[in-house]
Amino acid sequence: MLYIKNRVAGIVLVTDQSEVLYMNSKEKQLVMTLCGDKCDGCPQIFTDNTAESTKQVVVTDDFGNTIAMSKDQFRVLVKGSKEGKLDI
């Protein structure tokens, strides 16, 4: 998978078939930046209401990788976190 990360224009993620999965920051809204004590980059959570319903929440990591999920899937993640299931 090839990706290009550009802090000004947003994030472009391209697969081997050159399919653009995620385009620019005009379509997405930053929800939260997750920075720890010692990190060079910070994972971020975005929403994109213009994306397919199964890909409206996008989580990026410090290395340029992304995970896209539905808002319902994200709610399950948040609920599990509140219940302590993600405490590690």
PDB file of all heavy atoms in Angstrom, residues 62-86:
ATOM      1  N   ASP A  62       0.563   7.162  13.627  1.00  0.00           N
ATOM      2  CA  ASP A  62       1.755   7.996  13.434  1.00  0.00           C
ATOM      3  C   ASP A  62       2.541   7.623  12.181  1.00  0.00           C
ATOM      4  O   ASP A  62       3.432   8.357  11.783  1.00  0.00           O
ATOM      5  CB  ASP A  62       2.746   7.909  14.589  1.00  0.00           C
ATOM      6  CG  ASP A  62       2.232   7.413  15.886  1.00  0.00           C
ATOM      7  OD1 ASP A  62       1.109   6.930  15.964  1.00  0.00           O
ATOM      8  OD2 ASP A  62       2.971   7.513  16.858  1.00  0.00           O
ATOM      9  N   PHE A  63       2.238   6.478  11.574  1.00  0.00           N
ATOM     10  CA  PHE A  63       3.009   5.982  10.437  1.00  0.00           C
ATOM     11  C   PHE A  63       2.269   6.161   9.118  1.00  0.00           C
ATOM     12  O   PHE A  63       2.714   5.695   8.082  1.00  0.00           O
ATOM     13  CB  PHE A  63       3.352   4.508  10.650  1.00  0.00           C
ATOM     14  CG  PHE A  63       4.023   4.258  11.971  1.00  0.00           C
ATOM     15  CD1 PHE A  63       3.324   3.662  13.006  1.00  0.00           C
ATOM     16  CD2 PHE A  63       5.331   4.645  12.200  1.00  0.00           C
ATOM     17  CE1 PHE A  63       3.925   3.439  14.233  1.00  0.00           C
ATOM     18  CE2 PHE A  63       5.939   4.440  13.420  1.00  0.00           C
ATOM     19  CZ  PHE A  63       5.228   3.838  14.437  1.00  0.00           C
ATOM     20  N   GLY A  64       1.107   6.811   9.130  1.00  0.00           N
ATOM     21  CA  GLY A  64       0.354   7.050   7.908  1.00  0.00           C
ATOM     22  C   GLY A  64      -0.676   5.991   7.580  1.00  0.00           C
ATOM     23  O   GLY A  64      -1.341   6.082   6.562  1.00  0.00           O
ATOM     24  N   ASN A  65      -0.815   4.973   8.421  1.00  0.00           N
ATOM     25  CA  ASN A  65      -1.824   3.941   8.189  1.00  0.00           C
ATOM     26  C   ASN A  65      -3.183   4.448   8.642  1.00  0.00           C
ATOM     27  O   ASN A  65      -3.275   5.318   9.504  1.00  0.00           O
ATOM     28  CB  ASN A  65      -1.473   2.672   8.965  1.00  0.00           C
ATOM     29  CG  ASN A  65      -0.133   2.118   8.545  1.00  0.00           C
ATOM     30  OD1 ASN A  65       0.099   1.868   7.375  1.00  0.00           O
ATOM     31  ND2 ASN A  65       0.761   1.955   9.500  1.00  0.00           N
ATOM     32  N   THR A  66      -4.243   3.894   8.069  1.00  0.00           N
ATOM     33  CA  THR A  66      -5.585   4.292   8.461  1.00  0.00           C
ATOM     34  C   THR A  66      -6.477   3.081   8.680  1.00  0.00           C
ATOM     35  O   THR A  66      -6.244   2.014   8.116  1.00  0.00           O
ATOM     36  CB  THR A  66      -6.271   5.183   7.404  1.00  0.00           C
ATOM     37  OG1 THR A  66      -6.425   4.438   6.206  1.00  0.00           O
ATOM     38  CG2 THR A  66      -5.493   6.438   7.134  1.00  0.00           C
ATOM     39  N   ILE A  67      -7.482   3.280   9.501  1.00  0.00           N
ATOM     40  CA  ILE A  67      -8.556   2.317   9.699  1.00  0.00           C
ATOM     41  C   ILE A  67      -9.841   3.095   9.473  1.00  0.00           C
ATOM     42  O   ILE A  67     -10.043   4.152  10.069  1.00  0.00           O
ATOM     43  CB  ILE A  67      -8.560   1.747  11.130  1.00  0.00           C
ATOM     44  CG1 ILE A  67      -7.271   1.001  11.405  1.00  0.00           C
ATOM     45  CG2 ILE A  67      -9.776   0.853  11.354  1.00  0.00           C
ATOM     46  CD1 ILE A  67      -7.112   0.600  12.860  1.00  0.00           C
ATOM     47  N   ALA A  68     -10.702   2.580   8.603  1.00  0.00           N
ATOM     48  CA  ALA A  68     -11.995   3.209   8.364  1.00  0.00           C
ATOM     49  C   ALA A  68     -13.075   2.290   8.899  1.00  0.00           C
ATOM     50  O   ALA A  68     -13.002   1.071   8.756  1.00  0.00           O
ATOM     51  CB  ALA A  68     -12.194   3.462   6.869  1.00  0.00           C
ATOM     52  N   MET A  69     -14.076   2.882   9.543  1.00  0.00           N
ATOM     53  CA  MET A  69     -15.164   2.089  10.107  1.00  0.00           C
ATOM     54  C   MET A  69     -16.440   2.911  10.098  1.00  0.00           C
ATOM     55  O   MET A  69     -16.414   4.124   9.891  1.00  0.00           O
ATOM     56  CB  MET A  69     -14.821   1.644  11.528  1.00  0.00           C
ATOM     57  CG  MET A  69     -14.660   2.787  12.517  1.00  0.00           C
ATOM     58  SD  MET A  69     -14.121   2.280  14.165  1.00  0.00           S
ATOM     59  CE  MET A  69     -12.383   2.065  13.885  1.00  0.00           C
ATOM     60  N   SER A  70     -17.545   2.237  10.346  1.00  0.00           N
ATOM     61  CA  SER A  70     -18.828   2.938  10.423  1.00  0.00           C
ATOM     62  C   SER A  70     -18.933   3.638  11.780  1.00  0.00           C
ATOM     63  O   SER A  70     -18.207   3.314  12.727  1.00  0.00           O
ATOM     64  CB  SER A  70     -19.981   1.949  10.253  1.00  0.00           C
ATOM     65  OG  SER A  70     -20.068   1.109  11.387  1.00  0.00           O
ATOM     66  N   LYS A  71     -19.872   4.550  11.865  1.00  0.00           N
ATOM     67  CA  LYS A  71     -20.109   5.228  13.145  1.00  0.00           C
ATOM     68  C   LYS A  71     -20.620   4.233  14.183  1.00  0.00           C
ATOM     69  O   LYS A  71     -20.284   4.339  15.359  1.00  0.00           O
ATOM     70  CB  LYS A  71     -21.080   6.391  12.958  1.00  0.00           C
ATOM     71  CG  LYS A  71     -20.454   7.551  12.213  1.00  0.00           C
ATOM     72  CD  LYS A  71     -21.407   8.713  12.079  1.00  0.00           C
ATOM     73  CE  LYS A  71     -20.724   9.861  11.358  1.00  0.00           C
ATOM     74  NZ  LYS A  71     -21.607  11.027  11.225  1.00  0.00           N
ATOM     75  N   ASP A  72     -21.423   3.254  13.756  1.00  0.00           N
ATOM     76  CA  ASP A  72     -21.894   2.226  14.686  1.00  0.00           C
ATOM     77  C   ASP A  72     -20.735   1.408  15.247  1.00  0.00           C
ATOM     78  O   ASP A  72     -20.697   1.119  16.445  1.00  0.00           O
ATOM     79  CB  ASP A  72     -22.907   1.287  14.011  1.00  0.00           C
ATOM     80  CG  ASP A  72     -24.258   1.951  13.789  1.00  0.00           C
ATOM     81  OD1 ASP A  72     -24.561   2.943  14.494  1.00  0.00           O
ATOM     82  OD2 ASP A  72     -24.999   1.477  12.910  1.00  0.00           O
ATOM     83  N   GLN A  73     -19.778   1.028  14.394  1.00  0.00           N
ATOM     84  CA  GLN A  73     -18.608   0.285  14.865  1.00  0.00           C
ATOM     85  C   GLN A  73     -17.802   1.128  15.848  1.00  0.00           C
ATOM     86  O   GLN A  73     -17.311   0.619  16.855  1.00  0.00           O
ATOM     87  CB  GLN A  73     -17.732  -0.132  13.682  1.00  0.00           C
ATOM     88  CG  GLN A  73     -18.352  -1.198  12.817  1.00  0.00           C
ATOM     89  CD  GLN A  73     -17.562  -1.416  11.541  1.00  0.00           C
ATOM     90  OE1 GLN A  73     -17.099  -0.468  10.909  1.00  0.00           O
ATOM     91  NE2 GLN A  73     -17.420  -2.677  11.161  1.00  0.00           N
ATOM     92  N   PHE A  74     -17.668   2.410  15.566  1.00  0.00           N
ATOM     93  CA  PHE A  74     -16.926   3.290  16.459  1.00  0.00           C
ATOM     94  C   PHE A  74     -17.633   3.406  17.810  1.00  0.00           C
ATOM     95  O   PHE A  74     -16.987   3.421  18.851  1.00  0.00           O
ATOM     96  CB  PHE A  74     -16.730   4.665  15.821  1.00  0.00           C
ATOM     97  CG  PHE A  74     -15.825   5.548  16.615  1.00  0.00           C
ATOM     98  CD1 PHE A  74     -14.457   5.298  16.670  1.00  0.00           C
ATOM     99  CD2 PHE A  74     -16.323   6.628  17.321  1.00  0.00           C
ATOM    100  CE1 PHE A  74     -13.613   6.114  17.415  1.00  0.00           C
ATOM    101  CE2 PHE A  74     -15.479   7.436  18.071  1.00  0.00           C
ATOM    102  CZ  PHE A  74     -14.126   7.183  18.113  1.00  0.00           C
ATOM    103  N   ARG A  75     -18.956   3.457  17.786  1.00  0.00           N
ATOM    104  CA  ARG A  75     -19.712   3.517  19.046  1.00  0.00           C
ATOM    105  C   ARG A  75     -19.461   2.276  19.899  1.00  0.00           C
ATOM    106  O   ARG A  75     -19.363   2.356  21.122  1.00  0.00           O
ATOM    107  CB  ARG A  75     -21.205   3.673  18.761  1.00  0.00           C
ATOM    108  CG  ARG A  75     -21.589   5.062  18.308  1.00  0.00           C
ATOM    109  CD  ARG A  75     -23.106   5.208  18.106  1.00  0.00           C
ATOM    110  NE  ARG A  75     -23.398   6.446  17.435  1.00  0.00           N
ATOM    111  CZ  ARG A  75     -23.717   6.553  16.137  1.00  0.00           C
ATOM    112  NH1 ARG A  75     -23.823   5.483  15.389  1.00  0.00           N
ATOM    113  NH2 ARG A  75     -23.954   7.734  15.618  1.00  0.00           N
ATOM    114  N   VAL A  76     -19.345   1.110  19.248  1.00  0.00           N
ATOM    115  CA  VAL A  76     -19.035  -0.127  19.972  1.00  0.00           C
ATOM    116  C   VAL A  76     -17.650  -0.016  20.606  1.00  0.00           C
ATOM    117  O   VAL A  76     -17.445  -0.411  21.764  1.00  0.00           O
ATOM    118  CB  VAL A  76     -19.117  -1.355  19.033  1.00  0.00           C
ATOM    119  CG1 VAL A  76     -18.558  -2.596  19.691  1.00  0.00           C
ATOM    120  CG2 VAL A  76     -20.553  -1.577  18.578  1.00  0.00           C
ATOM    121  N   LEU A  77     -16.698   0.553  19.879  1.00  0.00           N
ATOM    122  CA  LEU A  77     -15.343   0.757  20.402  1.00  0.00           C
ATOM    123  C   LEU A  77     -15.363   1.685  21.614  1.00  0.00           C
ATOM    124  O   LEU A  77     -14.750   1.391  22.648  1.00  0.00           O
ATOM    125  CB  LEU A  77     -14.446   1.337  19.305  1.00  0.00           C
ATOM    126  CG  LEU A  77     -13.018   1.664  19.686  1.00  0.00           C
ATOM    127  CD1 LEU A  77     -12.226   0.387  19.922  1.00  0.00           C
ATOM    128  CD2 LEU A  77     -12.365   2.481  18.591  1.00  0.00           C
ATOM    129  N   VAL A  78     -16.088   2.787  21.511  1.00  0.00           N
ATOM    130  CA  VAL A  78     -16.179   3.744  22.623  1.00  0.00           C
ATOM    131  C   VAL A  78     -16.853   3.090  23.826  1.00  0.00           C
ATOM    132  O   VAL A  78     -16.396   3.229  24.968  1.00  0.00           O
ATOM    133  CB  VAL A  78     -16.926   5.025  22.191  1.00  0.00           C
ATOM    134  CG1 VAL A  78     -17.247   5.909  23.380  1.00  0.00           C
ATOM    135  CG2 VAL A  78     -16.104   5.787  21.155  1.00  0.00           C
ATOM    136  N   LYS A  79     -17.930   2.348  23.587  1.00  0.00           N
ATOM    137  CA  LYS A  79     -18.639   1.678  24.679  1.00  0.00           C
ATOM    138  C   LYS A  79     -17.718   0.684  25.391  1.00  0.00           C
ATOM    139  O   LYS A  79     -17.649   0.644  26.618  1.00  0.00           O
ATOM    140  CB  LYS A  79     -19.865   0.951  24.144  1.00  0.00           C
ATOM    141  CG  LYS A  79     -20.672   0.259  25.218  1.00  0.00           C
ATOM    142  CD  LYS A  79     -21.879  -0.460  24.646  1.00  0.00           C
ATOM    143  CE  LYS A  79     -22.607  -1.142  25.789  1.00  0.00           C
ATOM    144  NZ  LYS A  79     -23.302  -2.318  25.363  1.00  0.00           N
ATOM    145  N   GLY A  80     -16.962  -0.094  24.603  1.00  0.00           N
ATOM    146  CA  GLY A  80     -16.017  -1.040  25.195  1.00  0.00           C
ATOM    147  C   GLY A  80     -14.946  -0.337  26.010  1.00  0.00           C
ATOM    148  O   GLY A  80     -14.539  -0.807  27.074  1.00  0.00           O
ATOM    149  N   SER A  81     -14.519   0.810  25.542  1.00  0.00           N
ATOM    150  CA  SER A  81     -13.522   1.593  26.269  1.00  0.00           C
ATOM    151  C   SER A  81     -14.082   2.072  27.603  1.00  0.00           C
ATOM    152  O   SER A  81     -13.420   1.976  28.646  1.00  0.00           O
ATOM    153  CB  SER A  81     -13.088   2.793  25.423  1.00  0.00           C
ATOM    154  OG  SER A  81     -12.219   3.607  26.137  1.00  0.00           O
ATOM    155  N   LYS A  82     -15.319   2.569  27.585  1.00  0.00           N
ATOM    156  CA  LYS A  82     -15.954   3.051  28.807  1.00  0.00           C
ATOM    157  C   LYS A  82     -16.141   1.919  29.825  1.00  0.00           C
ATOM    158  O   LYS A  82     -16.126   2.142  31.020  1.00  0.00           O
ATOM    159  CB  LYS A  82     -17.295   3.699  28.500  1.00  0.00           C
ATOM    160  CG  LYS A  82     -17.160   5.038  27.806  1.00  0.00           C
ATOM    161  CD  LYS A  82     -18.522   5.622  27.479  1.00  0.00           C
ATOM    162  CE  LYS A  82     -18.389   6.963  26.797  1.00  0.00           C
ATOM    163  NZ  LYS A  82     -19.715   7.541  26.480  1.00  0.00           N
ATOM    164  N   GLU A  83     -16.319   0.688  29.306  1.00  0.00           N
ATOM    165  CA  GLU A  83     -16.504  -0.478  30.172  1.00  0.00           C
ATOM    166  C   GLU A  83     -15.180  -1.058  30.648  1.00  0.00           C
ATOM    167  O   GLU A  83     -15.148  -2.041  31.383  1.00  0.00           O
ATOM    168  CB  GLU A  83     -17.299  -1.554  29.420  1.00  0.00           C
ATOM    169  CG  GLU A  83     -18.723  -1.146  29.127  1.00  0.00           C
ATOM    170  CD  GLU A  83     -19.431  -2.119  28.188  1.00  0.00           C
ATOM    171  OE1 GLU A  83     -18.775  -3.038  27.637  1.00  0.00           O
ATOM    172  OE2 GLU A  83     -20.656  -1.967  27.997  1.00  0.00           O
ATOM    173  N   GLY A  84     -14.063  -0.457  30.230  1.00  0.00           N
ATOM    174  CA  GLY A  84     -12.748  -0.919  30.672  1.00  0.00           C
ATOM    175  C   GLY A  84     -12.157  -2.034  29.830  1.00  0.00           C
ATOM    176  O   GLY A  84     -11.103  -2.575  30.172  1.00  0.00           O
ATOM    177  N   LYS A  85     -12.796  -2.390  28.726  1.00  0.00           N
ATOM    178  CA  LYS A  85     -12.318  -3.489  27.898  1.00  0.00           C
ATOM    179  C   LYS A  85     -11.022  -3.160  27.152  1.00  0.00           C
ATOM    180  O   LYS A  85     -10.335  -4.058  26.702  1.00  0.00           O
ATOM    181  CB  LYS A  85     -13.391  -3.906  26.894  1.00  0.00           C
ATOM    182  CG  LYS A  85     -14.595  -4.519  27.568  1.00  0.00           C
ATOM    183  CD  LYS A  85     -15.647  -4.914  26.574  1.00  0.00           C
ATOM    184  CE  LYS A  85     -16.846  -5.531  27.289  1.00  0.00           C
ATOM    185  NZ  LYS A  85     -17.930  -5.862  26.359  1.00  0.00           N
ATOM    186  N   LEU A  86     -10.692  -1.881  27.035  1.00  0.00           N
ATOM    187  CA  LEU A  86      -9.474  -1.488  26.324  1.00  0.00           C
ATOM    188  C   LEU A  86      -8.338  -1.107  27.261  1.00  0.00           C
ATOM    189  O   LEU A  86      -7.291  -0.665  26.820  1.00  0.00           O
ATOM    190  CB  LEU A  86      -9.773  -0.328  25.370  1.00  0.00           C
ATOM    191  CG  LEU A  86     -10.772  -0.625  24.257  1.00  0.00           C
ATOM    192  CD1 LEU A  86     -10.984   0.623  23.410  1.00  0.00           C
ATOM    193  CD2 LEU A  86     -10.319  -1.774  23.390  1.00  0.00           C
TER     194      LEU A  86
END
